[in-house]
Amino acid sequence: MMKIDNLLKNMSEWLKGSGPHSNIVISSRIRSARNLADVPFTQWANKKQRDESRKMIKSALESSPFLKKSNYLDMDGLSDIDKQFLVERHLMSREHASTPDSKALLFDDKEIVSIMVNEEDHIRMQVMQSGFNLTEAWRIANEIDNDLSARLNFAYSEKIGYLTACPTNAGTGVRASMMLHLPALMLTNQANKLLQTISKLGLTARGFYGEGTDVQGNFFQVSNQVTLGRTEEEIIDNIERVISQIIAREEAARKTLLMRSKEKLVDRIWRSYGTLRSAHIITSNETIELLSDIRLGIDMDIIKDITTAGINDLFVLTQPAHLQKMEKKSLSASERDLKRAELIRKRLSK
Amino acid sequence: MMKIDNLLKNMSEWLKGSGPHSNIVISSRIRSARNLADVPFTQWANKKQRDESRKMIKSALESSPFLKKSNYLDMDGLSDIDKQFLVERHLMSREHASTPDSKALLFDDKEIVSIMVNEEDHIRMQVMQSGFNLTEAWRIANEIDNDLSARLNFAYSEKIGYLTACPTNAGTGVRASMMLHLPALMLTNQANKLLQTISKLGLTARGFYGEGTDVQGNFFQVSNQVTLGRTEEEIIDNIERVISQIIAREEAARKTLLMRSKEKLVDRIWRSYGTLRSAHIITSNETIELLSDIRLGIDMDIIKDITTAGINDLFVLTQPAHLQKMEKKSLSASERDLKRAELIRKRLSK
């Protein structure tokens, strides 16, 4: 699968550690849900209907001038490692990997746009940007959506808006989210309370891999809970306002840490760095937790000899399927723990 | 106190990491207890009598050709840090430091011989050697004892032997001990059972600073429990035979570790090394535990860029009074934790 292997050589655009507030906001993401009017929703469709919708959508995607440099993959024939690899790169959902029948994925080389075909909805498009940058993500998403609307007949009701398999997505069909790194709010025990407050403002916080996943390494994916009855602009405006406040809180917490317990913080960060540079066996989980400390260390000018992009790269490359793709063979969990440690040592010893 | 400060510049002879079985046996030690026949035991003597015994002993020590290059110190005037410093160097007991009245200490520049005056007994002599080398320690102790016997009238009974304040020391008055590093027996959970067996063979195991101290960093001080009714040669022979067996067991346990869980061991040792090279706050306890891992790593050829002597040096220099002597000022516990981490980083970054 050369299309997939090529991804290994590049870093996803959204992981470059650039863009506004990139010390706290890893990435901004717009996701839209669309369905064909003339075919049942994926879940209710039979195999023939699903194959038909995939064919129609594939043809539309390939005709779109905005998706010219993209790669299209049918899910059916992919190996488990390749599917897991695409999930690890945040190009598609775990669900898309677990039942690949009649499903497809399209993504561009920079991994800015990815489109799942026949996931919960017929079309699930995601546009990613590095840093606090929903507006640009939305601009791109809107452009592609307009183009696809001209090529496909989307299920739409004047009263509700876009129709979706799950009613929580109906209306604009748009979900906006940002991936936030909130180590100082976690260290000062303010994160839980803050996340409770968020849910009162129509937002929700999830783990690193989205819905149903644990918070690891102090990363939170914050998104809007409801899409119905609001315009896309209102959704984006609301989430941007709330996240601006979270950023301010995290920045204040970082200052507090520096003022009240700088030595403890420096000790923690350098110990994590020392462990990463020395360990010979390390799990994914421990890696993410330690890399989170290093990221904070870079942001706070405590660690100066590595870049955020370098650390982001390690977050991605140390994941199970990535390790196996790099080694070009399947590895057991304990073999991965060895290879992961080796890779990290090599990268951090420069 | 220049005599004391000079010690900082040198490494104790017995810490050089040389001598037979020095991968497991840190040091061999002979300790003898003698009392003057014509003065009550220290505990029963009044101040005048204690001062008198100190004077008599001082004069004998200063006349002995074997103790010419030694330093004599009255305990009364020493600062708390200086006393703790001498305890940390294993030149005298904690008890000798805590009630310094009418007490004295003599030691040579290489810290092979040290003599406490008016500790529990009037004279407590200790002779240290690096590695498995009780015979040489005993040879030196015997030579000095013979010389002092000609200068002082020791309390001696034909039936019992040398009389001592505590009956467990009576007879030869000699205690032989070795400081052992038994990390593999600890890691394979064999140490406790072994130490129970030892006590059935007339031996006892203690922590790093002798009687009443905890085992830290897998260091055990093994010594004979009884001195009465045995010759010095029998005592030394017995302890050497038992310790030879312990060495064999530790070596077997190290081989087992290498065979069955080399990767786990390598990971543990390198993580400890990484932590020591990176930490910015570190306690004495953690330091000893981590240095113990590094020592094992050197012995097992896992770590090659430092020497056992270098690690032994850190064991000594990172102790509280040593840090304060080096900094030339008194430091709080948390200040010491910072200075200790700084010293370790500096020493291990070469």
Side-chain angles (χ1 to χ4, degrees):
Chain A
M1 268 306 156
M2 274 317 291
K3 285 171 188 171
I4 296 180
D5 290 354
N6 278 338
L7 292 177
L8 258 186
K9 294 176 201 147
N10 303 309
M11 180 185 277
S12 317
E13 190 66 24
W14 61 274
L15 274 170
K16 298 225 158 145
S18 57
H21 299 294
S22 60
N23 60 331
I24 292 168
V25 184
I26 315 297
S27 57
S28 298
R29 171 178 175 261
I30 291 286
R31 196 219 64 196
S32 70
R34 297 289 183 263
N35 287 276
L36 303 179
D38 314 316
V39 187
F41 288 146
T42 310
Q43 261 181 296
W44 320 120
N46 59 31
K47 167 114 181 96
K48 201 182 150 212
Q49 291 167 322
R50 287 202 308 271
D51 284 343
E52 191 189 335
S53 59
R54 177 163 69 173
K55 204 172 145 193
M56 286 169 66
I57 295 167
K58 183 184 180 185
S59 146
L61 297 177
E62 287 179 343
S63 322
S64 170
F66 298 104
L67 301 170
K68 275 234 166 90
K69 293 200 165 174
S70 296
N71 312 284
Y72 173 92
L73 287 174
D74 282 336
M75 281 295 108
D76 321 64
L78 287 190
S79 73
D80 285 345
I81 289 183
D82 278 341
K83 282 183 287 185
Q84 198 190 337
F85 177 80
L86 294 166
V87 172
E88 287 176 1
R89 290 189 89 80
H90 294 253
L91 289 171
M92 66 186 211
S93 66
R94 289 182 178 185
E95 294 67 34
H96 210 58
S98 58
T99 52
D101 199 32
S102 309
K103 291 186 164 75
L105 178 72
L106 177 126
F107 57 88
D108 69 305
D109 288 339
K110 292 188 163 181
E111 296 165 78
I112 294 171
V113 178
S114 74
I115 296 175
M116 290 187 282
V117 181
N118 283 339
E119 210 243 21
E120 190 180 296
D121 296 296
H122 288 143
I123 294 182
R124 280 280 181 105
M125 174 165 63
Q126 143 183 304
V127 178
M128 301 279 270
Q129 288 291 300
S130 190
F132 186 103
N133 209 349
L134 278 180
T135 314
E136 175 62 7
W138 166 242
R139 192 194 60 75
I140 297 169
N142 198 31
E143 200 169 56
I144 298 171
D145 186 52
N146 286 340
D147 181 71
L148 293 180
S149 291
R151 296 170 197 279
L152 294 162
N153 183 18
F154 287 149
Y156 185 84
S157 132
E158 281 299 329
K159 212 169 140 197
I160 297 176
Y162 290 102
L163 302 179
T164 52
C166 177
T168 56
N169 294 315
T172 61
V174 163
R175 207 177 273 274
S177 69
M178 295 199 206
M179 183 77 80
L180 307 180
H181 187 227
L182 307 176
L185 287 173
M186 287 290 271
L187 281 169
T188 54
N189 296 317
Q190 298 177 70
N192 280 338
K193 208 177 158 192
L194 190 76
L195 298 179
Q196 281 165 21
T197 315
I198 278 176
S199 69
K200 290 178 196 149
L201 300 168
L203 301 181
T204 180
R206 289 161 175 166
F208 200 61
Y209 295 100
E211 201 162 341
T213 65
D214 288 339
V215 170
Q216 289 182 310
N218 311 310
F219 290 103
F220 297 85
Q221 189 180 303
V222 174
S223 61
N224 57 311
Q225 241 165 343
V226 182
T227 73
L228 193 66
R230 300 202 186 164
T231 66
E232 292 86 346
E233 286 74 14
E234 281 168 354
I235 290 170
I236 291 172
D237 191 55
N238 181 42
I239 196 169
E240 283 193 345
R241 257 187 302 117
V242 176
I243 287 181
S244 295
Q245 284 180 38
I246 299 178
I247 292 170
R249 297 274 190 94
E250 170 69 16
E251 273 170 350
R254 291 182 184 189
K255 271 186 197 138
T256 306
L257 281 176
L258 270 191
M259 249 166 47
R260 295 208 195 141
S261 45
K262 178 162 187 193
E263 284 153 355
K264 259 177 85 175
L265 185 71
V266 168
D267 180 57
R268 181 196 169 99
I269 288 168
W270 275 97
R271 279 174 180 252
S272 296
Y273 197 19
T275 299
L276 282 171
R277 288 200 286 192
S278 313
H280 280 242
I281 301 176
I282 196 163
T283 63
S284 279
N285 265 355
E286 189 186 359
T287 301
I288 292 175
E289 299 298 338
L290 296 176
L291 286 174
S292 165
D293 283 344
I294 311 305
R295 223 193 118 96
L296 180 64
I298 296 170
D299 290 342
M300 297 183 87
D301 243 7
I302 290 167
I303 290 182
K304 288 164 192 165
D305 50 354
I306 19 170
T307 63
T308 301
I311 291 302
N312 285 351
D313 215 18
L314 275 177
F315 272 113
V316 175
L317 295 177
T318 55
Q319 297 176 107
H322 275 74
L323 286 172
Q324 294 176 81
K325 293 289 283 180
M326 276 184 284
E327 291 294 318
K328 296 189 172 64
K329 65 178 175 192
S330 129
L331 300 168
S332 70
S334 54
E335 287 169 336
R336 292 198 299 270
D337 290 349
L338 286 167
K339 284 290 170 195
R340 181 179 296 114
E342 193 185 317
L343 172 75
I344 297 170
R345 288 201 311 280
K346 215 180 282 172
R347 291 276 177 134
L348 295 183
S349 71
K350 292 176 295 193
Chain B
M1 269 302 154
M2 276 317 292
K3 286 171 188 172
I4 295 181
D5 290 353
N6 279 337
L7 292 178
L8 257 186
K9 293 177 199 146
N10 303 308
M11 181 186 278
S12 318
E13 191 66 24
W14 62 273
L15 275 170
K16 298 225 158 146
S18 56
H21 299 294
S22 60
N23 60 331
I24 292 168
V25 184
I26 314 298
S27 57
S28 298
R29 170 178 175 261
I30 292 287
R31 196 220 65 197
S32 70
R34 297 288 183 263
N35 287 279
L36 302 179
D38 313 319
V39 188
F41 288 146
T42 310
Q43 262 182 294
W44 319 119
N46 60 32
K47 166 114 179 101
K48 203 184 148 210
Q49 291 168 321
R50 288 201 308 269
D51 284 342
E52 192 189 334
S53 59
R54 177 165 68 174
K55 205 172 145 193
M56 285 170 67
I57 295 166
K58 182 184 180 185
S59 147
L61 297 177
E62 287 179 343
S63 321
S64 169
F66 298 104
L67 301 171
K68 275 233 167 91
K69 292 201 166 172
S70 295
N71 311 285
Y72 173 93
L73 288 174
D74 282 335
M75 282 295 107
D76 321 64
L78 288 189
S79 73
D80 285 345
I81 289 183
D82 278 341
K83 282 183 288 185
Q84 199 190 336
F85 177 80
L86 295 167
V87 172
E88 288 175 359
R89 290 189 87 81
H90 293 254
L91 290 171
M92 66 185 211
S93 66
R94 289 183 178 185
E95 294 67 34
H96 210 57
S98 59
T99 53
D101 199 30
S102 308
K103 292 187 165 74
L105 177 71
L106 177 126
F107 57 88
D108 69 306
D109 287 340
K110 292 188 161 179
E111 295 166 78
I112 294 170
V113 178
S114 75
I115 296 174
M116 289 188 282
V117 180
N118 282 340
E119 210 244 19
E120 188 181 295
D121 297 296
H122 289 142
I123 295 182
R124 280 280 181 105
M125 173 165 64
Q126 141 182 306
V127 179
M128 300 280 270
Q129 289 290 301
S130 190
F132 186 101
N133 209 350
L134 277 180
T135 314
E136 175 62 6
W138 166 242
R139 193 193 61 73
I140 297 170
N142 198 32
E143 201 169 55
I144 298 172
D145 186 51
N146 286 340
D147 181 70
L148 293 180
S149 291
R151 297 171 196 280
L152 294 163
N153 184 17
F154 286 151
Y156 185 83
S157 133
E158 281 298 329
K159 214 169 136 194
I160 298 176
Y162 289 103
L163 302 179
T164 53
C166 176
T168 56
N169 293 316
T172 61
V174 163
R175 208 178 273 273
S177 69
M178 295 198 207
M179 183 77 81
L180 307 179
H181 186 227
L182 306 177
L185 287 173
M186 288 290 273
L187 282 170
T188 54
N189 296 317
Q190 299 177 71
N192 280 339
K193 209 176 159 193
L194 190 76
L195 298 177
Q196 280 165 21
T197 314
I198 278 176
S199 68
K200 290 179 194 148
L201 300 167
L203 301 180
T204 181
R206 288 162 176 163
F208 199 60
Y209 294 99
E211 202 163 340
T213 64
D214 288 339
V215 170
Q216 289 183 309
N218 311 309
F219 290 102
F220 297 85
Q221 189 179 305
V222 174
S223 61
N224 58 310
Q225 238 164 346
V226 182
T227 72
L228 192 67
R230 301 202 184 163
T231 66
E232 291 86 346
E233 286 75 12
E234 282 167 354
I235 290 170
I236 291 173
D237 191 55
N238 181 43
I239 197 169
E240 283 192 346
R241 257 186 302 118
V242 176
I243 287 181
S244 295
Q245 285 181 36
I246 299 178
I247 292 171
R249 296 273 189 94
E250 170 69 17
E251 274 170 349
R254 291 183 183 187
K255 271 185 197 139
T256 306
L257 282 176
L258 270 190
M259 249 166 47
R260 295 206 196 142
S261 46
K262 178 162 186 191
E263 284 154 355
K264 259 176 86 174
L265 184 71
V266 167
D267 180 57
R268 180 195 170 97
I269 287 169
W270 274 97
R271 277 173 182 254
S272 295
Y273 197 19
T275 301
L276 282 171
R277 289 200 285 193
S278 313
H280 280 242
I281 300 177
I282 195 163
T283 63
S284 280
N285 265 355
E286 189 186 359
T287 301
I288 292 176
E289 300 297 338
L290 296 176
L291 286 175
S292 165
D293 283 345
I294 312 304
R295 224 194 115 96
L296 180 63
I298 296 170
D299 291 341
M300 295 182 89
D301 244 6
I302 291 167
I303 291 182
K304 288 163 193 166
D305 50 354
I306 19 169
T307 63
T308 302
I311 291 302
N312 285 351
D313 215 18
L314 275 178
F315 272 112
V316 175
L317 294 177
T318 54
Q319 298 175 105
H322 275 75
L323 286 172
Q324 294 175 81
K325 292 289 282 181
M326 277 184 284
E327 290 293 319
K328 295 189 173 65
K329 64 179 176 191
S330 129
L331 300 169
S332 70
S334 54
E335 288 168 335
R336 292 198 300 270
D337 291 350
L338 285 167
K339 284 291 171 193
R340 181 178 296 113
E342 193 185 317
L343 172 74
I344 296 170
R345 287 201 313 280
K346 214 179 284 173
R347 290 276 176 134
L348 295 184
S349 71
K350 293 176 296 195

